[in-house]
PDB file of all heavy atoms in Angstrom:
ATOM      1  N   ALA A  39      21.075 -52.489 -39.565  1.00 88.00           N
ATOM      2  CA  ALA A  39      20.726 -52.355 -38.155  1.00 88.00           C
ATOM      3  C   ALA A  39      21.768 -51.522 -37.416  1.00 88.00           C
ATOM      4  O   ALA A  39      21.431 -50.672 -36.571  1.00 88.00           O
ATOM      5  CB  ALA A  39      20.580 -53.728 -37.514  1.00 88.00           C
ATOM      6  N   GLU A  40      23.026 -51.750 -37.727  1.00 89.00           N
ATOM      7  CA  GLU A  40      24.095 -50.966 -37.096  1.00 89.00           C
ATOM      8  C   GLU A  40      23.992 -49.496 -37.469  1.00 89.00           C
ATOM      9  O   GLU A  40      24.157 -48.603 -36.628  1.00 89.00           O
ATOM     10  CB  GLU A  40      25.457 -51.521 -37.518  1.00 89.00           C
ATOM     11  CG  GLU A  40      25.747 -52.923 -36.981  1.00 89.00           C
ATOM     12  CD  GLU A  40      27.021 -53.505 -37.564  1.00 89.00           C
ATOM     13  OE1 GLU A  40      27.659 -52.800 -38.388  1.00 89.00           O
ATOM     14  OE2 GLU A  40      27.366 -54.647 -37.207  1.00 89.00           O
ATOM     15  N   GLU A  41      23.727 -49.229 -38.741  1.00 91.00           N
ATOM     16  CA  GLU A  41      23.599 -47.843 -39.200  1.00 91.00           C
ATOM     17  C   GLU A  41      22.389 -47.164 -38.560  1.00 91.00           C
ATOM     18  O   GLU A  41      22.466 -46.007 -38.136  1.00 91.00           O
ATOM     19  CB  GLU A  41      23.465 -47.821 -40.728  1.00 91.00           C
ATOM     20  CG  GLU A  41      23.408 -46.430 -41.351  1.00 91.00           C
ATOM     21  CD  GLU A  41      24.746 -45.717 -41.317  1.00 91.00           C
ATOM     22  OE1 GLU A  41      25.778 -46.389 -41.113  1.00 91.00           O
ATOM     23  OE2 GLU A  41      24.755 -44.482 -41.490  1.00 91.00           O
ATOM     24  N   ALA A  42      21.281 -47.883 -38.481  1.00 91.00           N
ATOM     25  CA  ALA A  42      20.080 -47.320 -37.867  1.00 91.00           C
ATOM     26  C   ALA A  42      20.307 -47.022 -36.393  1.00 91.00           C
ATOM     27  O   ALA A  42      19.874 -45.984 -35.876  1.00 91.00           O
ATOM     28  CB  ALA A  42      18.903 -48.276 -38.045  1.00 91.00           C
ATOM     29  N   ALA A  43      21.001 -47.922 -35.706  1.00 91.00           N
ATOM     30  CA  ALA A  43      21.274 -47.714 -34.284  1.00 91.00           C
ATOM     31  C   ALA A  43      22.155 -46.486 -34.064  1.00 91.00           C
ATOM     32  O   ALA A  43      21.983 -45.747 -33.089  1.00 91.00           O
ATOM     33  CB  ALA A  43      21.934 -48.953 -33.700  1.00 91.00           C
ATOM     34  N   ALA A  44      23.099 -46.274 -34.982  1.00 93.00           N
ATOM     35  CA  ALA A  44      23.984 -45.118 -34.858  1.00 93.00           C
ATOM     36  C   ALA A  44      23.246 -43.807 -35.123  1.00 93.00           C
ATOM     37  O   ALA A  44      23.490 -42.793 -34.461  1.00 93.00           O
ATOM     38  CB  ALA A  44      25.165 -45.268 -35.815  1.00 93.00           C
ATOM     39  N   ARG A  45      22.329 -43.833 -36.071  1.00 93.00           N
ATOM     40  CA  ARG A  45      21.604 -42.613 -36.444  1.00 93.00           C
ATOM     41  C   ARG A  45      20.423 -42.325 -35.518  1.00 93.00           C
ATOM     42  O   ARG A  45      20.041 -41.176 -35.328  1.00 93.00           O
ATOM     43  CB  ARG A  45      21.115 -42.718 -37.896  1.00 93.00           C
ATOM     44  CG  ARG A  45      22.232 -42.659 -38.929  1.00 93.00           C
ATOM     45  CD  ARG A  45      21.697 -42.821 -40.335  1.00 93.00           C
ATOM     46  NE  ARG A  45      22.744 -42.651 -41.331  1.00 93.00           N
ATOM     47  CZ  ARG A  45      23.052 -41.485 -41.910  1.00 93.00           C
ATOM     48  NH1 ARG A  45      22.373 -40.393 -41.589  1.00 93.00           N
ATOM     49  NH2 ARG A  45      24.016 -41.427 -42.801  1.00 93.00           N
ATOM     50  N   PHE A  46      19.831 -43.370 -34.984  1.00 93.00           N
ATOM     51  CA  PHE A  46      18.659 -43.204 -34.121  1.00 93.00           C
ATOM     52  C   PHE A  46      18.901 -43.959 -32.813  1.00 93.00           C
ATOM     53  O   PHE A  46      18.304 -45.020 -32.573  1.00 93.00           O
ATOM     54  CB  PHE A  46      17.399 -43.726 -34.818  1.00 93.00           C
ATOM     55  CG  PHE A  46      17.180 -43.154 -36.191  1.00 93.00           C
ATOM     56  CD1 PHE A  46      17.501 -43.899 -37.317  1.00 93.00           C
ATOM     57  CD2 PHE A  46      16.670 -41.875 -36.355  1.00 93.00           C
ATOM     58  CE1 PHE A  46      17.307 -43.382 -38.588  1.00 93.00           C
ATOM     59  CE2 PHE A  46      16.473 -41.346 -37.626  1.00 93.00           C
ATOM     60  CZ  PHE A  46      16.794 -42.096 -38.754  1.00 93.00           C
ATOM     61  N   PRO A  47      19.779 -43.441 -31.953  1.00 91.00           N
ATOM     62  CA  PRO A  47      20.184 -44.184 -30.743  1.00 91.00           C
ATOM     63  C   PRO A  47      19.054 -44.452 -29.760  1.00 91.00           C
ATOM     64  O   PRO A  47      19.141 -45.385 -28.960  1.00 91.00           O
ATOM     65  CB  PRO A  47      21.255 -43.274 -30.138  1.00 91.00           C
ATOM     66  CG  PRO A  47      20.988 -41.917 -30.707  1.00 91.00           C
ATOM     67  CD  PRO A  47      20.462 -42.141 -32.075  1.00 91.00           C
ATOM     68  N   ASP A  48      17.986 -43.662 -29.806  1.00 91.00           N
ATOM     69  CA  ASP A  48      16.885 -43.846 -28.858  1.00 91.00           C
ATOM     70  C   ASP A  48      15.784 -44.760 -29.402  1.00 91.00           C
ATOM     71  O   ASP A  48      14.817 -45.058 -28.685  1.00 91.00           O
ATOM     72  CB  ASP A  48      16.280 -42.493 -28.496  1.00 91.00           C
ATOM     73  CG  ASP A  48      17.289 -41.591 -27.781  1.00 91.00           C
ATOM     74  OD1 ASP A  48      18.143 -42.133 -27.063  1.00 91.00           O
ATOM     75  OD2 ASP A  48      17.216 -40.353 -27.962  1.00 91.00           O
ATOM     76  N   ALA A  49      15.905 -45.179 -30.652  1.00 90.00           N
ATOM     77  CA  ALA A  49      14.855 -45.994 -31.269  1.00 90.00           C
ATOM     78  C   ALA A  49      14.966 -47.457 -30.854  1.00 90.00           C
ATOM     79  O   ALA A  49      16.062 -47.980 -30.640  1.00 90.00           O
ATOM     80  CB  ALA A  49      14.933 -45.885 -32.786  1.00 90.00           C
ATOM     81  N   ARG A  50      13.829 -48.090 -30.731  1.00 90.00           N
ATOM     82  CA  ARG A  50      13.787 -49.538 -30.487  1.00 90.00           C
ATOM     83  C   ARG A  50      13.830 -50.232 -31.851  1.00 90.00           C
ATOM     84  O   ARG A  50      12.921 -50.055 -32.650  1.00 90.00           O
ATOM     85  CB  ARG A  50      12.528 -49.914 -29.730  1.00 90.00           C
ATOM     86  CG  ARG A  50      12.403 -49.266 -28.348  1.00 90.00           C
ATOM     87  CD  ARG A  50      10.990 -49.469 -27.796  1.00 90.00           C
ATOM     88  NE  ARG A  50       9.991 -48.843 -28.662  1.00 90.00           N
ATOM     89  CZ  ARG A  50       8.675 -49.021 -28.547  1.00 90.00           C
ATOM     90  NH1 ARG A  50       8.198 -49.833 -27.599  1.00 90.00           N
ATOM     91  NH2 ARG A  50       7.837 -48.418 -29.367  1.00 90.00           N
TER      92      ARG A  50
END
Side-chain angles (χ1 to χ4, degrees):
E40 293 173 0
E41 184 72 17
R45 290 178 175 269
F46 308 102
D48 297 328
R50 299 168 299 170

